[in-house]
């Protein structure tokens, strides 16, 4: 499992600033209002970018990484809200697959999450990247890593009822606002990907208290995992 160039994406400044600080030989590019930093990280060629929040931003960013920069794998890193009740703040979810929870055409007879007339609606992460990310995470945070389905939607979930529903109906381990769109773009282009999320809140109504406090800690956890992952691929 060797990739010539890896795309690293985070949605927010806090999620990418540590990567930016530790990159070398950096050149800066701009496209579609997004800044891309091309250089090396852990001695490997990477392109780092902050996509911005939401599925459209993440999809545009991912396609540009593939088309303009020729990345051969994509790693999305950042924070998320826990859906699985066994997850605590600071725990890690490594994607096995991704699904858009706000894709909802049940009124026309489709199951929730299904993209009408599309060949796929659930997008599997690359097994090799997922396995390696899990190994690195467990070596750093033993017993605090879970592999599972990452749910994405253009909604900040802050309701205990919605949390229970997403976990029960869609088997989500965590919820965020970008991963499934990155996954879909990668799937459409045949590019391997993995989503790494550190839990900044429990998506249960206490998010307004937890989110600012724990985002920095969760971002540090994610950074350390990606640092180890890039070093191994």
């Amino acid at each position: 499992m060797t990739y010539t160039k890896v795309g690293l994406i985070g949605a927010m400044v806090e999620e990418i600033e540590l990567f930016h600080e530790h990159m070398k030989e950096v050149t800066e590019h701009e496209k579609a209002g997004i800044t891309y930093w091309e250089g090396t990280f852990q001695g490997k060629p990477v392109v780092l970018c902050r996509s911005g929040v939401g599925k459209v931003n993440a999809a545009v960013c991912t396609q540009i990484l593939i088309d303009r920069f020729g990345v051969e794998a994509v790693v999305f890193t950042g924070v998320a809200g826990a859906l699985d009740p066994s997850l605590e703040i600071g725990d890690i979810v490594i994607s096995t697959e991704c699904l858009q929870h706000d894709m909802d055409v049940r009124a026309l007879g489709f199951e929730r999450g299904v993209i009408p007339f599309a060949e796929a609606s659930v997008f599997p992460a690359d097994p090799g990247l997922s396995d390696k990310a899990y190994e690195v995470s467990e070596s750093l945070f033993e017993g605090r890593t879970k592999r599972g389905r990452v749910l994405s939607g253009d909604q900040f979930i802050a309701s205990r009822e919605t949390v229970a529903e997403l976990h029960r109906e869609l088997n989500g381990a965590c919820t965020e606002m970008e991963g499934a769109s990155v996954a879909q773009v990668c799937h459409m282009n045949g590019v391997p990907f993995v989503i790494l999320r550190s839990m900044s809140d429990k998506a249960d109504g206490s998010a307004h208290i937890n989110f600012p406090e724990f985002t920095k800690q969760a971002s540090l956890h994610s950074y350390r995992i990606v640092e180890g992952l890039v070093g191994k691929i």
Side-chain angles (χ1 to χ4, degrees):
M1 184 175 61
T2 302
Y3 302 106
T4 301
K5 188 185 293 185
V6 177
L8 304 177
I9 312 175
M12 302 184 298
V13 170
E14 297 89 340
E15 295 171 331
I16 67 161
E17 59 186 350
L18 285 170
F19 297 97
H20 194 232
E21 290 173 10
H22 291 88
M23 284 180 64
K24 298 179 180 179
E25 305 169 35
V26 178
T27 57
E28 186 174 303
H29 312 266
E30 187 169 326
K31 178 71 174 177
I34 300 170
T35 301
Y36 298 81
W37 295 278
E38 188 172 14
T40 61
F41 177 69
Q42 293 296 98
K44 306 291 177 65
V46 301
V47 183
L48 172 72
C49 55
R50 179 179 66 84
S51 64
V53 174
K55 293 189 299 180
V56 173
N57 283 329
V60 169
C61 176
T62 305
Q63 191 65 57
I64 291 171
L65 280 174
I66 295 168
D67 285 346
R68 178 166 176 175
F69 295 98
V71 300
E72 297 179 347
V74 173
V75 178
F76 195 105
T77 179
V79 301
L83 297 175
D84 188 320
S86 70
L87 288 166
E88 299 295 336
I89 291 170
D91 288 352
I92 309 297
V93 171
I94 308 296
S95 65
T96 55
E97 59 188 17
C98 298
L99 174 74
Q100 297 178 59
H101 68 76
D102 62 348
M103 178 61 68
D104 191 348
V105 197
R106 285 177 288 185
L108 297 182
F110 297 90
E111 293 184 11
R112 183 176 182 178
V114 170
I115 304 169
F117 317 116
E119 293 182 1
S121 300
V122 177
F123 304 103
D126 179 76
L129 287 174
S130 183
D131 288 347
K132 191 62 68 178
Y134 180 83
E135 291 172 15
V136 172
S137 183
E138 273 295 282
S139 72
L140 294 168
F141 310 107
E142 185 177 359
R144 301 194 64 185
T145 308
K146 181 178 287 288
R147 301 179 70 177
R149 175 181 284 184
V150 173
L151 300 184
S152 306
D154 287 324
Q155 303 164 354
F156 191 93
I157 304 300
S159 156
R160 289 181 175 86
E161 292 76 16
T162 306
V163 166
E165 177 185 295
L166 292 176
H167 182 57
R168 180 182 65 252
E169 294 186 7
L170 296 178
N171 194 32
C174 67
T175 181
E176 35 86 303
M177 300 176 70
E178 296 86 24
S181 58
V182 172
Q184 183 174 351
V185 172
C186 286
H187 175 81
M188 293 168 72
N189 287 273
V191 172
F193 77 90
V194 67
I195 311 296
L196 290 77
R197 292 291 190 174
S198 181
M199 302 303 102
S200 60
D201 63 89
K202 292 179 72 72
D204 60 359
S206 61
H208 64 289
I209 299 171
N210 293 337
F211 190 78
E213 181 179 353
F214 291 105
T215 293
K216 199 169 187 70
Q217 174 196 338
S219 295
L220 175 59
H221 287 186
S222 294
Y223 167 80
R224 291 185 64 196
I225 298 166
V226 177
E227 180 184 43
L229 175 62
V230 172
K232 292 179 180 296
I233 62 174

